[in-house]
Amino acid sequence: MFILKTIDELKSYRNSLENKTIGFVPTMGALHKGHLSLISKSKEQNDVSIVSIFVNPTQFGENEDFSKYPRNINKDLELCKISGVSAVFLPSTEELYPSSDEVILIPPKNLTNKFEGSLRDGHFSGVLRVVLKFFNLIKPHNAYFGKKDAQQLLIIKKMVNDLFLDINIIGCPILRDSNNLALSSRNIYLDSTAYNKALQIPKAIEGVSKAVLGKEINARVIEKIALKELKELDVDYCNVVDLNLDSIEVIKEKESLLLIAVRIDNTRLLDNFWF
Ligand code: AMP
């Protein structure tokens, strides 16, 4: 496995790949099985799989956890190696953001004026900046993102479409732990009391899943079913929307999703259900 720490190293590695198909998995490290499932999908579908590990400062707000975001590079590299990753890109902030006054990207209003976008000012602009830089440097054919970050996935798809980028964006299913809590690098912030509270989120998802199997299609009823399970938590949002993130009355298969975000102590947890 190649460990590429500079843009020059990445470029010469990339030039050596010639006609190979390249899969790319961007991450912020603190890797878990969710990340590994993206890597595994990339390995299945490409000759070469490149993973980036970079805690991107431009997507964190001033009062967010950038400095204490979990970092464990040695363990991450070991996991990448075991998973058969071809190369890991570990750029420095200085090299990735050489100018303090650079071209920035503004995501579309309708996808950012709600949910994570309205609660985390500038977050998606920072995500698009770093992802576009990676796309331009790595030039992947396929890039893998988790459905867990549903709004992010939809905004990245929109960027690729609007800017005519020749990259397939592949959304991958949410990986969960043995208690069905969605895996997240931030789960390590949860002590056992907080973790037990967090299990109300997968209960809400299970309730919704059952209701849908029972042919429930009314979006408001589905939200109520989820909220009933979340009643002891600080819920930021729990809404059924379409793929433009607009509220809907009736769910449609493959065209609707339930988005959930809750706060437990100082940790925000996201989950969702794609109908
Ligand atoms: P992060 O390191 O948190 O930026 O996540 C890197 C990628 O892994 C993103 O595309 C996430 O959506 C994805 N991801 C994070 N958690 C999960 C999970 N539990 N299941 C599937 N994908 C995930």
Side-chain angles (χ1 to χ4, degrees), residues 115 204 208 219-220 222-228 230 235-241 257-262 271:
F115 308 121
V208 166
R220 298 294 86 71
I222 290 169
E223 288 166 356
K224 272 193 192 132
I225 291 169
L227 281 166
K228 206 170 134 204
L230 303 173
V235 177
D236 277 339
Y237 52 80
C238 173
N239 292 99
V240 174
V241 292
L257 62 160
L258 169 72
L259 295 174
I260 295 177
V262 307
D271 207 332

Side-chain angles (χ1 to χ4, degrees), residues 25-35 37-38 54 59 69 144-150 152 172-176 181-186:
V25 181
T27 81
M28 297 207 298
L31 301 183
H32 51 65
K33 285 184 183 151
H35 299 110
S37 72
L38 270 51
F54 179 66
Q59 71 187 70
Y69 193 83
Y144 298 81
F145 292 86
K147 286 186 172 176
K148 160 132 189 319
D149 297 290
Q152 167 175 285
C172 301
I174 301 176
L175 261 270
R176 299 175 177 280
L181 182 66
L183 292 172
S184 161
S185 305
R186 290 189 167 100

Side-chain angles (χ1 to χ4, degrees), residues 67-270:
S67 57
K68 72 170 185 135
Y69 193 83
R71 290 163 170 88
N72 197 341
I73 195 64
N74 292 334
K75 186 173 165 220
D76 288 347
L77 289 174
E78 196 50 42
L79 286 171
C80 286
K81 207 164 162 187
I82 296 168
S83 310
V85 167
S86 318
V88 180
F89 183 38
L90 296 175
S92 68
T93 304
E94 293 69 31
E95 221 191 353
L96 217 51
Y97 291 107
S99 160
S100 57
D101 187 22
E102 63 172 25
V103 171
I104 58 165
L105 289 158
I106 302 173
K109 272 197 205 79
N110 190 54
L111 290 177
T112 37
N113 61 7
K114 51 191 86 138
F115 308 121
E116 291 309 287
S118 63
L119 295 163
R120 304 182 66 187
D121 198 25
H123 170 69
F124 288 115
S125 172
V127 170
L128 292 188
R129 275 164 80 179
V130 81
V131 168
L132 186 59
K133 281 172 193 258
F134 284 142
F135 283 175
N136 285 332
L137 289 167
I138 293 170
K139 302 196 257 310
H141 301 91
N142 300 304
Y144 298 81
F145 292 86
K147 286 186 172 176
K148 160 132 189 319
D149 297 290
Q151 192 170 7
Q152 167 175 285
L153 174 61
L154 294 170
I155 291 173
I156 286 169
K157 280 189 171 172
K158 177 88 171 123
M159 172 177 77
V160 164
N161 186 62
D162 290 357
L163 301 184
F164 308 110
L165 303 182
D166 200 7
I167 300 172
N168 299 312
I169 302 299
I170 292 122
C172 301
I174 301 176
L175 261 270
R176 299 175 177 280
D177 71 11
S178 55
N179 294 315
N180 281 336
L181 182 66
L183 292 172
S184 161
S185 305
R186 290 189 167 100
N187 288 357
I188 63 164
Y189 298 151
L190 303 171
D191 62 21
S192 63
T193 315
Y195 178 84
N196 284 329
K197 272 193 185 174
L199 296 183
Q200 291 168 26
I201 308 168
K203 286 214 184 88
I205 301 276
E206 280 157 33
V208 166
S209 162
K210 272 193 200 137
V212 172
L213 281 174
K215 304 265 183 282
E216 182 58 69
I217 55 165
N218 183 310
R220 298 294 86 71
V221 172
I222 290 169
E223 288 166 356
K224 272 193 192 132
I225 291 169
L227 281 166
K228 206 170 134 204
E229 295 294 345
L230 303 173
K231 62 180 181 298
E232 286 165 28
L233 303 178
D234 286 325
V235 177
D236 277 339
Y237 52 80
C238 173
N239 292 99
V240 174
V241 292
D242 63 15
L243 299 183
N244 293 315
L245 298 181
D246 290 323
S247 183
I248 48 172
E249 298 303 318
V250 167
I251 59 162
K252 290 197 187 123
E253 207 181 330
K254 298 210 166 102
E255 289 177 28
S256 322
L257 62 160
L258 169 72
L259 295 174
I260 295 177
V262 307
R263 270 169 291 122
I264 300 178
D265 303 332
N266 288 324
T267 306
R268 292 188 70 246
L269 297 173
L270 307 189

